[in-house]
């Protein structure tokens, strides 16, 4: 029960920070990097589409050219979730809940790059980054107003408002389209994939890609369903249930389970590609071993460096990988239109960073880069279902684990946990 009670507050800190800054090894030089301006959706208020704080939603749009002028790539931004009033109120005062706090320029790299050398299959497409400011993977539809606090849980309407704004700009006449996203944005692709296809011409080639969005409904090391409880409270608070896949919600025992990709995937009709690490560093730290499940810090060193894991911890990590493979087995075996790139790196999000998307030293499985695997799948050049061998076999990985950001994040998570358990102990938390 104590672990459940901490899920909301811990989630507000930890899940807000799922998209981490990382060291870029093979990024273009600064003068080559593509900076794209923000576009506010001015008419979003007509359908009640607002960020958490009431600000207008936004996106960044880099227009395509040449042979790609009628092709579109939409990328959901990631950045975690909020599942209670406090965490959502905190979020509303940041760039994760308000366009007022967002950067007006965004770097387009990796799958969003306009450089053929860095992004050979999609460089000349219309590329759009959808900014994330609702805290429920663009899926909520509710309002909280107690007279003093007003929060808009309008992710579903934000999604609709952005699409409606893009349709007259050429999206309505797309020949090819790809809906993608990272982390919480990767989860959003599972939730909106078929709906995206419904907006586009019947003869268009429409497909979807999730990067680091295959969040598992797994027990943590204390045998609690921490993530299941978190998603349940999120779905309830933000009014998500009515926007979940109807075939899924009618088939499972608890409708909120359809927020998990593993339950909704069998009901998605549009061709789908899953890009994920079997040792996703976010899932390792916050689904498998959340701070509440490790109060004495037995996993502390292992979470910072897999080389420090003992035999039992390595076996637990391999069990997590095995569970991910088991949940994906029907998709791997039966989907004729699906694709997959499942590597064994301790990382989180690999499509928007140039060093992992396509670079001389980018991660590979069966000598194939992520960019090549996605392109092979989208254009049906060859079957593209790549599964890496188990850790520690892959020497092409760009591991995030142990980076300065995650060291600070883990320290802050542990500090918050102990402050909640021992409230008389005060101290700053800095990220």
């Amino acid at each position: 029960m104590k672990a459940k009670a901490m899920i909301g507050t811990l989630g507000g800190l930890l899940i807000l920070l799922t998209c981490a800054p990382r060291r870029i090894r093979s990024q273009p030089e600064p003068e080559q990097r593509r900076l794209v301006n923000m576009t506010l959706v001015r008419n979003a208020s007509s359908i009640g589409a607002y960020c958490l704080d009431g600000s207008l939603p936004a996106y960044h749009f880099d227009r395509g050219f040449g042979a790609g002028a009628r092709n579109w790539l939409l990328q959901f931004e990631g950045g975690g979730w909020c599942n209670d009033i406090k965490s959502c109120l905190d979020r509303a005062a940041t760039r994760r809940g308000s366009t007022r706090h967002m950067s007006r320029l965004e770097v387009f790299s990796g799958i969003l790059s306009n450089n053929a050398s860095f992004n050979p299959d999609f460089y000349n497409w219309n590329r759009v980054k959808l900014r994330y400011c609702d805290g429920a993977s663009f899926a909520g539809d509710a309002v909280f107003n107690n007279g003093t606090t007003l929060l808009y849980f309008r992710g579903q309407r934000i999604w609709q408002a952005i699409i409606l704004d893009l349709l007259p700009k050429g999206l309505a006449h797309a020949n090819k389209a790809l809906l993608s996203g990272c982390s919480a944005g990767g989860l959003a692709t599972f939730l909106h994939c078929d709906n995206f296809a419904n907006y586009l011409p019947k003869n268009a080639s429409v497909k979807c890609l999730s990067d680091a969005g295959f969040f598992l409904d797994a027990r943590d090391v204390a045998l609690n369903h921490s993530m299941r409880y978190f998603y349940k409270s999120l779905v309830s608070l933000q009014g998500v249930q009515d926007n979940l896949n109807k075939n899924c919600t009618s088939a499972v025992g608890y409708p909120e389970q359809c927020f998990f990709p593993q339950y909704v995937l069998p009901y998605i009709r549009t061709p789908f590609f899953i890009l994920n690490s079997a040792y996703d560093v976010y899932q390792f730290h916050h689904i498998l071993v959340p701070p509440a499940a490790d109060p004495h810090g037995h996993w502390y060193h292992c979470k910072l460096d897999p080389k420090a894991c003992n035999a039992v911890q390595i076996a637990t990590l391999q069990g997590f990988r095995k569970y991910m493979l088991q949940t994906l087995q029907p998709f791997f075996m039966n989907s004729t239109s699906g694709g997959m790139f499942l590597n064994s790196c301790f990382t989180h999000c690999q499509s928007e960073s140039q060093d992992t998307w396509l670079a001389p030293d980018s991660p590979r499985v069966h000598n194939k880069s992520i960019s090549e695997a996605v392109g092979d799948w989208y254009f049906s050049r060859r079957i593209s279902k790549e599964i890496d061998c188990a850790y520690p076999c892959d020497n092409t990985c760009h591991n995030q684990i142990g980076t300065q950001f995650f060291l600070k994040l883990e320290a802050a998570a542990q500090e918050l946990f102990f402050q909640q358990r021992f409230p008389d102990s005060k101290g700053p938390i800095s990220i």
Side-chain angles (χ1 to χ4, degrees):
M1 292 301 291
K2 289 182 179 179
K4 281 180 64 177
M6 294 178 188
I7 289 171
T9 306
L10 284 170
L13 169 66
L14 302 176
I15 301 181
L16 180 63
L17 296 163
T18 58
C19 290
R22 20 191 333 235
R23 180 169 66 91
I24 302 302
R25 304 181 186 181
S26 307
Q27 285 280 26
E29 294 300 316
E31 62 269 18
Q32 294 179 291
R33 299 175 77 189
R34 185 71 166 179
L35 291 171
V36 180
N37 275 305
M38 174 186 284
T39 299
L40 287 174
V41 185
R42 299 291 180 183
N43 62 347
S45 57
S46 66
I47 62 169
Y50 300 104
C51 298
L52 284 171
D53 72 331
S55 58
L56 292 174
Y59 58 85
H60 300 255
F61 176 28
D62 199 16
R63 189 167 285 281
F65 55 93
R70 293 188 64 176
N71 301 333
W72 288 75
L73 190 155
L74 274 63
Q75 176 91 348
F76 284 117
E77 183 180 28
W81 313 270
C82 61
N83 71 324
D84 58 26
I85 297 302
K86 184 184 184 306
S87 62
C88 290
L89 192 60
D90 290 344
R91 186 185 182 97
T94 73
R95 66 187 178 93
R96 297 301 187 199
S98 171
T99 51
R100 297 186 181 102
H101 299 288
M102 290 181 181
S103 58
R104 292 302 186 260
L105 294 172
E106 277 289 295
V107 175
F108 273 30
S109 63
I111 197 172
L112 294 175
S113 173
N114 71 331
N115 188 319
S117 298
F118 299 129
N119 188 26
D121 286 311
F122 307 106
Y123 74 98
N124 60 355
W125 287 30
N126 297 283
R127 286 151 289 106
V128 185
K129 184 170 186 176
L130 285 65
R131 299 307 298 266
Y132 182 36
C133 63
D134 64 280
S137 290
F138 296 83
D141 193 7
V143 174
F144 176 82
N145 187 352
N146 66 358
T148 57
T149 299
L150 176 62
L151 288 169
Y152 292 92
F153 303 126
R154 290 289 177 80
Q156 181 72 22
R157 300 190 194 201
I158 290 172
W159 158 246
Q160 293 168 350
I162 293 176
I163 291 294
L164 292 175
D165 205 58
L166 291 172
L167 287 172
K169 295 182 178 181
L171 181 61
H173 306 292
N175 289 333
K176 295 181 175 66
L178 176 62
L179 181 67
S180 62
C182 152
S183 191
L187 191 151
T189 63
F190 287 98
L191 303 180
H192 295 295
C193 182
D194 286 340
N195 180 245
F196 179 60
N198 290 338
Y199 281 107
L200 302 183
K202 297 299 182 185
N203 62 346
S205 172
V206 184
K207 301 186 180 184
C208 301
L209 159 70
S210 170
D211 175 11
F214 197 75
F215 296 97
L216 287 171
D217 181 18
R219 290 183 184 271
D220 62 32
V221 292
L223 303 182
N224 295 314
H225 279 290
S226 300
M227 205 63 182
R228 184 183 295 182
Y229 293 132
F230 184 91
Y231 278 171
K232 181 177 181 178
S233 56
L234 181 157
V235 168
S236 175
L237 174 71
Q238 296 220 30
V240 173
Q241 182 171 321
D242 288 345
N243 298 319
L244 297 174
N245 185 292
K246 298 296 189 294
N247 292 324
C248 179
T249 56
S250 64
V252 300
Y254 301 96
E256 64 272 8
Q257 285 181 281
C258 295
F259 201 74
F260 281 103
Q262 69 197 73
Y263 301 116
V264 73
L265 181 60
Y267 301 99
I268 296 174
R269 303 183 306 274
T270 307
F272 210 99
F273 191 99
I274 296 172
L275 165 60
N276 228 92
S277 166
Y279 308 95
D280 181 278
V281 73
Y282 171 78
Q283 297 200 55
F284 172 19
H285 286 204
H286 308 306
I287 295 180
L288 181 62
V289 194
D294 185 33
H296 301 294
H298 296 306
W299 282 80
Y300 180 79
H301 295 289
C302 175
K303 290 168 81 171
L304 299 181
D305 181 359
K307 294 185 181 67
C309 301
N310 61 38
V312 172
Q313 291 167 336
I314 289 292
T316 302
L317 286 167
Q318 303 296 20
F320 189 81
R321 172 182 180 269
K322 182 178 179 181
Y323 178 54
M324 183 176 287
L325 293 177
Q326 287 173 341
T327 62
L328 286 170
Q329 185 176 14
F331 177 79
F332 179 83
M333 298 294 295
N334 302 325
S335 175
T336 57
S337 63
M340 182 186 300
F341 190 99
L342 209 69
N343 61 9
S344 294
C345 306
F346 286 85
T347 188
H348 184 70
C349 289
Q350 301 177 86
S351 63
E352 286 187 38
S353 295
Q354 196 61 55
D355 63 332
T356 48
W357 175 248
L358 180 61
D361 62 346
S362 59
R364 292 177 178 268
V365 175
H366 304 139
N367 202 33
K368 184 180 289 189
S369 68
I370 294 170
S371 171
E372 184 182 357
V374 172
D376 284 349
W377 161 77
Y378 187 92
F379 293 100
S380 302
R381 293 192 289 246
R382 58 185 63 87
I383 294 173
S384 189
K385 293 180 178 177
E386 311 297 338
I387 298 179
D388 208 352
C389 48
Y391 172 82
C393 73
D394 191 340
N395 61 6
T396 71
C397 285
H398 292 190
N399 290 328
Q400 285 183 344
I401 196 167
T403 63
Q404 206 54 30
F405 177 85
F406 278 98
L407 287 166
K408 292 175 71 177
L409 177 58
E410 192 60 32
Q414 291 287 349
E415 185 174 347
L416 176 59
F417 173 74
F418 285 109
Q419 281 185 15
Q420 291 213 347
R421 196 170 189 193
F422 307 106
D424 292 335
S425 173
K426 303 297 183 182
I429 298 176
S430 59
I431 297 282

